[in-house]
Amino acid sequence: MVITPESRLGSQRLLLSLLFLVLWEAGSGQVHYSVPEEVKHGTFVGRIAQDLGLELAELVPRLFRVASKGRGDLLEVNLQNGILFVNSRIDREELCGRSAECSIHLEVVVERPLQVFHVEVEVTDINDNPPVFRVKEQRVLVYESRLPDSLFPLEGASDEDVGSNSVLTYKLSSSEYFTLAVKTNSDGNTQIGLVLRKSLDREETPEHALLLTATDGGKPELTGALQVLVTVLDVNDNAPSFPQSEYEVRIFENSDNGTVVIRLNASDADEGSNQEIFYSFNSLVPPVVIDQFSMDSNTGELTIRKTLDFEKVNSYKFRIDATDRGHPPMVGHCTVLVKVLDVNDNVPQISVTSLSLPVREDAPLGTAIALLSVSDRDAGSNGQVSCSLMPHRPFRLVSTFKNYYSLVLDSALDRESVSDYKLVVTARDGGSPSLSATASLSVEVADVNDNAPTFAQPEYTVFVKENNPPGCHIFTVWARDVDAQENARVSYSLVERRVGERALSSYVSVHAESGKVYALQPLDHEELELLQFQVSARDAGVPPLGSNVTLQVFVLDQNDNAPALLPSWAGGGGGRESEVVVSRSVDAGHVVAKVRAVDADSGYNAWLSYELQPAAGAERSPFRVGLYTGEISTTRALDEADAPRQRLLVLVKDHGEPALAATATVLLSLADGGQVPKSSLRASSGAAVAETALVDVNVYLIVAICAVSSLLVLTLLLYTALRCSAPPSEGACGPGKRVLLCSSAVGSWSYSQQRRQRVCSGEGPPKADLMAFSPSLPPCPVASDIGERQDLSDDHCGKVSEISCYVSSLF
């Protein structure tokens, strides 16, 4: 057998243990103490050294110590006085739980010699723990259909204390539905429960809150509480219900599809599936509602399916069902009234119900012309329509009834100013924004005969060459009538009067429709220089209206008359041949005779010139004739060589085109001074004096005519310039008729020398006895600007060429 070191060490330990056990048994003792739990630190427990028979002085030398099995820190010994005291908190329930006995076992060891003592310290219970329920809140589920006296067990409380400190009593808070039942079994356990006193109604009280109180038997008493919540379980004994039996909803007609009209929220006093509700239209709801709206069965949302139209349907009333999912299901009902609100989505409509056209221009004020009606399918202010009229005159709108208007005449009409009115009637509603519509009316104004025919000017001046062919068109009158149709159809006629011994109608005529004026016979300037008459223009209205115009027809002279020798153109007898006795002693320039002739024409046609025609085979005559005076005078002194009888042929010629002429033969008898008869001498002397005076007068007359002509031209030019630059004023002459004075290229004037005219030129007195030569001026107009014309180029009339004119006021 081999002995190892390890085996030797184990044997030694075993021997020591056996020795310790022997010594312990030899010196063991038992000491018992009691201390309440939860006492303070330092609380006196007992005099352990004295009770074990140990001297205080030997405690330290013998290594006195106390050991506790697992709880060595709860109690401690003061080695100075040998007292056992509480060192830390002692909790009986922590040490022993719910055991009826609870002690702390101490081992007291001293050495030299070794002694072991056993000390038991009993920990007594105090009521430091209240009754405790395992949970703070206990729920009890009870169907509302349970009958009274039904029992519902509850879990009781526990108390960690022991003895009387753990004896519990229970108490339930006051309740009309529940009471507390407590029962102690044979094994000492207590059972508690709730007893139903009367039937429950979950819809009335779905939950009952009760307070269960447990009280222990300690002094003082401690309590614990438990919140008991009794939940009443539902049975399907309630139908869904709505907060209101009828709902009224207002929604605009222009709301979009899908817009939520109303969200219904029915409630069911039940719970669970008994409370789950789905919504639907009632079976009696008409199809138009189902077609217009849709119902969400889960959410109760009523939405628009199709576009609303207030003008078609302005309200919907229907029933909605709310059904729960219980067994059997129960149904609740409500009525929904959807009122569609109008928006201004319809323009006004204008209708002309009556129209009386055309309107006479003499219609009295207030005459009704048209009846109009306006309408708007909208409602309220959106359907309130007001009308306006453009232009504002001469018509206006008068409201006769709601939405009915009359178009009446507000001011006088004048068809000649406006014959047709374009009216625009505007109808505007009261919406926001407002909508409007327009209607156009064309009002025609009917004519009445309220305007007489009018001529462009009150008087026309017409120039006609004499010797015109019969039926010659000399002028066209035209009158304007601003009326219409028959009222504007003008007919013309002469205003009959006497011209000398003859009727006017024997000279001229006028075409009733065209207004053309015709000369019925050749006119003779020498017989009739001016033909003045009136033409009447009359319309075809009822009654007819008319006006007159004056025509001044000047007969222009033509060279149709040859010069005529006066019967006594010389000192002696008449005829185309005259004899004069001339003394041979007369000096050069002596007037021996005078040829006198006249021309029935006028102007240039009557302006005569005298020429001495040379005799065939005769020597140069000692006599000459004045070109314009007709005076025959000597060119030199007479001598014996001159023939005793001189035959002079004088050609008298006018200035017309072609020129007409006449001849006069003058027989001159040359006599010696003593042979000249006294009568001849006297006549010759008187003639010479007269001739000398006449020559002087003629010279002065020609000079005066030239001066006056120049002055007239300057005056007329100045007058025309003043009239164009300033308004006319009445001068010394005053207003008068305008007379057109014209001359041909050769200077033939429309007035003869025998017709005296008063010509006013600017300031100053009138002039008389005017004779002028043709100036270089523009041609005379033959037609006015407004259509009146003088047709002098007619096939039956002679052509007046190169006519120059001046306009002047003649008095």
Side-chain angles (χ1 to χ4, degrees):
M1 179 177 183
V2 179
I3 300 175
T4 61
E6 290 79 2
S7 62
R8 187 181 296 114
L9 181 59
S11 299
Q12 291 176 357
R13 289 179 177 176
L14 179 60
L15 291 175
L16 289 174
S17 298
L18 292 174
L19 178 61
F20 180 75
L21 180 59
V22 171
L23 291 175
W24 171 260
E25 289 178 354
S28 63
Q30 184 72 28
V31 179
H32 184 273
Y33 297 108
S34 177
V35 61
E37 61 176 336
E38 303 293 343
V39 294
K40 297 181 179 180
H41 171 75
T43 299
F44 174 81
V45 177
R47 299 182 181 276
I48 189 171
Q50 181 181 350
D51 293 337
L52 293 177
L54 298 175
E55 295 295 333
L56 293 177
E58 59 182 9
L59 293 181
V60 174
R62 293 186 65 181
L63 300 177
F64 181 90
R65 64 181 183 276
V66 176
S68 175
K69 296 180 179 180
R71 295 292 179 179
D73 57 343
L74 296 179
L75 301 173
E76 189 61 64
V77 176
N78 188 342
L79 298 180
Q80 301 297 324
N81 55 20
I83 295 175
L84 181 66
F85 64 91
V86 176
N87 185 44
S88 61
R89 174 179 174 271
I90 300 174
D91 186 358
R92 182 185 181 284
E93 290 75 30
E94 183 180 351
L95 287 174
C96 305
R98 294 187 57 81
S99 176
E101 296 180 359
C102 183
S103 298
I104 299 175
H105 297 281
L106 302 176
E107 288 183 351
V108 180
V109 179
V110 293
E111 297 180 358
R112 300 172 186 176
L114 178 61
Q115 288 182 304
V116 178
F117 303 95
H118 294 277
V119 178
E120 182 179 6
V121 179
E122 181 183 2
V123 180
T124 59
D125 182 50
I126 64 173
N127 194 22
D128 61 342
N129 290 285
V132 176
F133 291 93
R134 189 172 61 87
V135 292
K136 293 183 178 181
E137 181 180 274
Q138 184 175 353
R139 289 185 174 273
V140 179
L141 303 178
V142 181
Y143 279 100
E144 62 178 331
S145 60
R146 291 293 295 270
L147 298 176
D149 296 330
S150 298
L151 178 64
F152 306 97
L154 297 176
E155 184 177 351
S158 63
D159 197 322
E160 294 183 357
D161 295 327
V162 295
S164 61
N165 291 333
S166 63
V167 177
L168 301 179
T169 59
Y170 295 92
K171 183 179 179 182
L172 185 66
S173 60
S174 176
S175 172
E176 62 175 320
Y177 292 96
F178 297 95
T179 185
L180 184 64
V182 181
K183 181 180 180 182
T184 303
N185 297 330
S186 58
D187 57 0
N189 293 326
T190 302
Q191 292 183 343
I192 60 176
L194 294 176
V195 178
L196 184 63
R197 296 175 62 182
K198 70 175 186 178
S199 299
L200 297 173
D201 186 357
R202 193 201 67 82
E203 289 72 37
E204 180 181 348
T205 308
E207 190 174 65
H208 299 267
L210 304 175
L211 184 63
L212 179 62
T213 304
T215 305
D216 61 19
K219 298 295 183 180
E221 297 177 345
L222 297 179
T223 60
L226 173 67
Q227 185 75 32
V228 179
L229 295 177
V230 179
T231 301
V232 182
L233 300 179
D234 181 55
V235 293
N236 195 24
D237 58 346
N238 290 280
S241 63
F242 293 91
Q244 301 173 217
S245 61
E246 182 172 319
Y247 294 89
E248 182 177 314
V249 185
R250 300 172 184 269
I251 188 166
F252 287 102
E253 62 175 325
N254 63 343
S255 300
D256 297 331
N257 293 344
T259 301
V260 177
V261 179
I262 187 175
R263 177 174 294 175
L264 297 174
N265 186 19
S267 61
D268 195 318
D270 299 325
E271 63 178 5
S273 61
N274 298 328
Q275 191 184 33
E276 294 179 5
I277 299 173
F278 65 91
Y279 302 87
S280 62
F281 290 106
N282 188 269
S283 60
L284 299 179
V285 171
V288 64
V289 175
I290 300 175
D291 188 54
Q292 186 68 57
F293 300 97
S294 62
M295 170 63 69
D296 190 312
S297 60
N298 295 324
T299 63
E301 289 183 350
L302 182 68
T303 57
I304 299 174
R305 174 178 290 178
K306 289 185 177 180
T307 303
L308 298 171
D309 190 351
F310 171 85
E311 288 71 35
K312 291 183 179 179
V313 181
N314 57 17
S315 66
Y316 298 87
K317 190 172 185 179
F318 48 89
R319 291 179 63 187
I320 296 296
D321 292 344
T323 307
D324 62 24
R325 300 184 186 275
H327 297 283
M330 302 190 76
V331 182
H333 311 279
C334 76
T335 301
V336 176
L337 175 61
V338 178
K339 289 188 175 181
V340 182
L341 300 180
D342 180 51
V343 294
N344 197 21
D345 58 345
N346 289 278
V347 297
Q349 302 292 324
I350 305 175
S351 299
V352 180
T353 58
S354 179
L355 190 61
S356 177
L357 293 178
V359 182
R360 288 174 56 90
E361 63 178 322
D362 61 347
L365 301 184
T367 299
I369 298 166
L371 299 179
L372 300 92
S373 65
V374 295
S375 61
D376 195 315
R377 297 179 61 196
D378 296 322
S381 60
N382 296 331
Q384 294 177 357
V385 182
S386 60
C387 288
S388 60
L389 180 67
M390 288 295 293
H392 300 296
R393 287 186 174 273
F395 305 98
R396 66 185 177 96
L397 286 174
V398 177
S399 178
T400 57
F401 189 65
K402 181 180 180 181
N403 292 338
Y404 285 88
Y405 294 86
S406 291
L407 179 66
V408 299
L409 184 62
D410 191 47
S411 58
L413 297 175
D414 184 5
R415 191 206 65 83
E416 289 70 40
S417 298
V418 181
S419 62
D420 185 70
Y421 291 90
K422 302 297 182 183
L423 305 180
V424 177
V425 179
T426 302
R428 186 177 300 276
D429 60 28
S432 181
S434 63
L435 300 177
S436 63
T438 58
S440 297
L441 293 176
S442 180
V443 178
E444 181 183 357
V445 181
D447 183 56
V448 296
N449 194 25
D450 57 345
N451 291 278
T454 58
F455 293 92
Q457 54 192 73
E459 182 177 283
Y460 292 96
T461 300
V462 183
F463 298 95
V464 180
K465 287 184 178 182
E466 65 176 334
N467 303 319
N468 57 281
C472 172
H473 171 219
I474 62 175
F475 194 70
T476 299
V477 294
W478 181 77
R480 180 188 179 193
D481 195 319
V482 294
D483 293 325
Q485 298 176 355
E486 292 298 312
N487 297 329
R489 188 161 59 85
V490 180
S491 60
Y492 304 92
S493 63
L494 287 176
V495 178
E496 189 63 66
R497 72 177 185 87
R498 304 292 294 179
V499 179
E501 299 299 327
R502 300 170 62 180
L504 174 65
S505 57
S506 64
Y507 287 96
V508 292
S509 67
V510 61
H511 191 275
E513 295 181 359
S514 64
K516 290 184 176 183
V517 180
Y518 299 95
L520 299 180
Q521 62 182 11
L523 299 177
D524 188 357
H525 172 79
E526 289 71 34
E527 177 187 347
L528 183 65
E529 295 182 8
L530 174 64
L531 178 61
Q532 184 170 331
F533 58 93
Q534 287 186 325
V535 175
S536 174
R538 186 169 297 272
D539 59 31
V542 178
L545 301 177
S547 63
N548 296 338
V549 65
T550 300
L551 267 68
Q552 294 190 33
V553 179
F554 288 95
V555 182
L556 300 180
D557 182 53
Q558 283 188 315
N559 196 21
D560 59 344
N561 290 282
L565 297 174
L566 294 178
S568 57
W569 53 270
R576 292 181 175 272
E577 191 172 295
S578 178
E579 183 175 355
V580 178
V581 179
V582 179
S583 174
R584 288 181 180 269
S585 62
V586 296
D587 297 330
H590 180 76
V591 176
V592 296
K594 182 177 178 65
V595 177
R596 303 186 64 184
V598 295
D599 196 316
D601 296 322
S602 61
Y604 275 97
N605 296 328
W607 188 14
L608 302 181
S609 61
Y610 300 86
E611 298 179 8
L612 187 61
Q613 299 293 322
E619 297 180 356
R620 183 173 180 273
S621 174
F623 298 97
R624 63 179 179 85
V625 64
L627 178 62
Y628 299 111
T629 61
E631 294 176 346
I632 301 174
S633 61
T634 59
T635 60
R636 58 179 173 80
L638 300 176
D639 53 24
E640 294 297 332
D642 294 321
R645 290 183 66 86
Q646 300 280 337
R647 186 181 181 88
L648 302 180
L649 184 62
V650 179
L651 178 65
V652 183
K653 184 173 63 176
D654 59 26
H655 285 75
E657 290 184 0
L660 299 179
T663 58
T665 303
V666 180
L667 297 177
L668 297 178
S669 298
L670 301 182
D672 293 334
Q675 297 177 355
V676 176
K678 291 182 179 181
S679 60
S680 298
L681 290 175
R682 288 194 301 268
S684 179
S685 177
V689 173
E691 289 171 1
T692 302
L694 183 60
V695 169
D696 294 337
V697 170
N698 289 340
V699 171
Y700 295 149
L701 179 60
I702 292 174
V703 172
I705 288 174
C706 294
V708 171
S709 298
S710 301
L711 180 62
L712 175 63
V713 171
L714 293 176
T715 302
L716 291 179
L717 290 176
L718 180 62
Y719 175 75
T720 303
L722 293 176
R723 286 295 299 270
C724 294
S725 61
S729 60
E730 295 185 5
C733 298
K737 297 181 180 180
R738 290 185 175 184
V739 177
L740 189 63
L741 301 180
C742 298
S743 67
S744 69
V746 297
S748 176
W749 288 85
S750 59
Y751 289 101
S752 70
Q753 303 94 315
Q754 300 172 0
R755 183 175 180 86
R756 299 174 61 87
Q757 296 293 332
R758 303 179 67 217
V759 179
C760 178
S761 174
E763 302 291 338
K767 307 293 182 180
D769 292 327
L770 173 65
M771 179 176 181
F773 294 95
S774 173
S776 177
L777 293 176
C780 177
V782 295
S784 67
D785 292 338
I786 59 171
E788 291 77 9
R789 62 192 180 277
Q790 176 186 4
D791 188 357
L792 299 180
S793 61
D794 192 273
D795 294 339
H796 303 289
C797 299
K799 180 178 180 182
V800 177
S801 61
E802 301 181 2
I803 295 180
S804 301
C805 303
Y806 285 103
V807 177
S808 150
S809 296
L810 300 182
F811 296 84

